[in-house]
Amino acid sequence: VTMGMPSRAEIRKVLKKLEKAEGSLAPPENPSPLERFRFDIQQKFVSYKLKTKISQREMAEMLGIDETKVSKILRNRLDDFSTDRLISLYEKINPKIKLKVS
């Protein structure tokens, strides 16, 4: 079976879907210390999820928040979360968290 190029209509349809998609945000190119700190916390959630193979639903239950918010954290879309809130949520995963300023 050979695959031909998709039609222009198919390409437009896919591009239209992608316009609405919300992927993960990368940290800023030159992050401030606070942005770097928030990204580091966010990465701890991602690491925990990958290490434990927990579902987003299970993680939401563990954190006491809805799945949409877990999804936002995992995709580094943190505008809805204060730094204090991120720390308090992460404490539910790792109660022995130690914060260090260097």
Side-chain angles (χ1 to χ4, degrees):
V1 176
T2 60
M3 292 185 59
M5 291 294 291
S7 70
R8 288 181 191 262
E10 289 172 314
I11 291 172
R12 277 194 293 273
K13 186 176 168 182
V14 169
L15 289 174
K16 192 99 170 144
K17 274 187 182 178
L18 288 174
E19 283 176 7
K20 297 175 187 167
E22 281 195 3
S24 295
L25 289 177
E29 194 170 320
N30 295 304
S32 69
L34 180 59
E35 289 168 327
R36 191 170 25 256
F37 179 72
R38 288 170 57 83
F39 181 72
D40 289 347
I41 294 171
Q42 183 269 341
Q43 288 296 289
K44 291 183 183 306
F45 285 98
V46 173
S47 294
Y48 179 82
K49 184 173 184 319
L50 292 173
K51 185 171 55 173
T52 62
K53 296 181 171 76
I54 191 173
S55 71
Q56 274 190 203
R57 176 169 289 147
E58 292 168 321
M59 195 172 202
E61 289 171 10
M62 175 189 286
L63 297 174
I65 60 176
D66 62 54
E67 268 186 86
T68 304
K69 288 189 191 267
V70 170
S71 176
K72 285 183 177 190
I73 292 171
L74 294 174
R75 292 180 299 120
N76 197 34
R77 296 191 170 272
L78 304 177
D79 291 345
D80 294 348
F81 302 91
S82 69
T83 303
D84 288 348
R85 181 79 170 130
L86 288 172
I87 292 168
S88 67
L89 289 170
Y90 185 67
E91 280 180 312
K92 293 179 181 185
I93 291 172
N94 180 4
K96 296 178 182 178
I97 184 175
K98 292 191 179 175
L99 301 177
K100 178 175 96 174
V101 178
S102 55

